[in-house]
Amino acid sequence: MMMPSFTMSASMGMLILMMTVMLPPLLEAFQSRGADVPLITRIAILMVDALHGNMLIIGGVILFTGVDYYVLRRIQTAHEWLHGAQVKLPIMGSLIVAKELAQFSRTNAMLLQAGVPLARALPLGIAGCKNLVVRKAMVAGEDSLLAGHGFAEALARHPVLPRLWVEMVMIGEENNVIDQTLGSLAETYEKEVDNRLGAILALAEPMSTFAVGGVVLFMALSMFLPIYSGLEVVK
């Protein structure tokens, strides 16, 4: 995701730089023409005026959002709510869950195949879960195992976990082949994460290119159309 993210960030930075530094003195020459200015140039003028007139408000909103997010991360219930919102996102939510399950399954499969008991392997696998909602579900499974009710029984009560993953873990636990089951699940979800990331990248790269091209085209047309129309009037 580095390349699309960098391209989109560069596009936004270029747009802000042009609208705050480069365009204002150039667009002032067209404001006096009023209705003779092309529509795209008038839109650019309105955007520049709105940005310049609300710089303090925009900066305050950005600062408040950053501080608010930092504070919410320090509050456990709010932090869990943020992680719960992450797993409910349309595209990225299922990807986050698949990544967590792939890492959890791989860690526990390696430990179990090395002879580590499930009760000792689970805390190490749970420690690798970054999403608090997924971690909470795994902790519930660990507590259920230590209470003598089995690991997968408690997992079914947490909708964040895919039903197929829970059923496979339950079958592996009942047949005492949970190490092999987790290994197969790890391979499946690792492939799923790779395929989804590939699909997202295949879509994000051209979209980022179009975004940069759209910004450049918008700025170029807002500048050259009034110049061209002025030359036509002179002729």
Side-chain angles (χ1 to χ4, degrees):
M1 299 296 289
M2 289 294 292
M3 184 59 185
S5 301
F6 175 77
T7 306
M8 295 294 290
S9 300
S11 176
M12 292 300 299
M14 181 177 62
L15 178 63
I16 295 173
L17 179 65
M18 294 185 71
M19 295 190 67
T20 54
V21 179
M22 301 171 63
L23 282 182
L26 296 175
L27 293 176
E28 288 179 359
F30 304 128
Q31 289 181 337
S32 60
R33 291 174 54 182
D36 295 335
V37 178
L39 176 61
I40 191 170
T41 306
R42 280 181 282 171
I43 294 175
I45 292 173
L46 290 175
M47 291 175 64
V48 170
D49 291 341
L51 188 61
H52 273 264
N54 300 282
M55 287 292 291
L56 291 178
I57 297 176
I58 295 173
V61 169
I62 294 174
L63 179 62
F64 176 78
T65 303
V67 173
D68 191 38
Y69 180 75
Y70 178 79
V71 172
L72 288 177
R73 284 177 59 89
R74 298 295 178 179
I75 303 174
Q76 183 65 21
T77 55
H79 199 188
E80 290 182 6
W81 180 87
L82 289 174
H83 282 223
Q86 288 179 1
V87 298
K88 294 179 181 178
L89 293 173
I91 297 175
M92 298 303 297
S94 58
L95 181 62
I96 292 172
V97 174
K99 173 184 172 298
E100 295 283 358
L101 293 180
Q103 184 171 349
F104 176 84
S105 301
R106 177 61 66 193
T107 301
N108 282 278
M110 292 173 61
L111 292 172
L112 291 173
Q113 291 170 3
V116 179
L118 181 60
R120 292 183 58 189
L122 281 178
L124 299 175
I126 293 172
C129 295
K130 300 297 187 294
N131 187 275
L132 295 182
V133 177
V134 176
R135 181 183 294 183
K136 184 177 180 180
M138 299 304 179
V139 169
E142 181 188 14
D143 294 339
S144 176
L145 176 68
L146 296 178
H149 302 296
F151 173 61
E153 180 179 345
L155 300 180
R157 295 192 290 269
H158 293 267
V160 67
L161 301 177
R163 188 65 185 176
L164 176 62
W165 188 87
V166 176
E167 292 290 344
M168 291 296 294
V169 171
M170 188 176 297
I171 293 172
E173 187 177 17
E174 290 175 353
N175 293 279
N176 200 26
V177 290
I178 190 170
D179 55 340
Q180 301 176 15
T181 302
L182 288 176
S184 300
L185 288 172
E187 293 179 3
T188 301
Y189 279 93
E190 285 167 357
K191 291 179 180 178
E192 181 179 351
V193 170
D194 289 339
N195 292 335
R196 291 192 180 187
L197 277 178
I200 292 174
L201 288 175
L203 183 63
E205 289 180 357
M207 286 183 62
S208 61
T209 304
F210 280 122
V212 174
V215 171
V216 174
L217 180 63
F218 174 78
M219 295 303 175
L221 290 178
S222 65
M223 294 302 304
F224 289 118
L225 281 182
I227 296 175
Y228 179 77
S229 61
L231 293 176
E232 290 291 330
V233 172
V234 171
K235 293 180 179 179

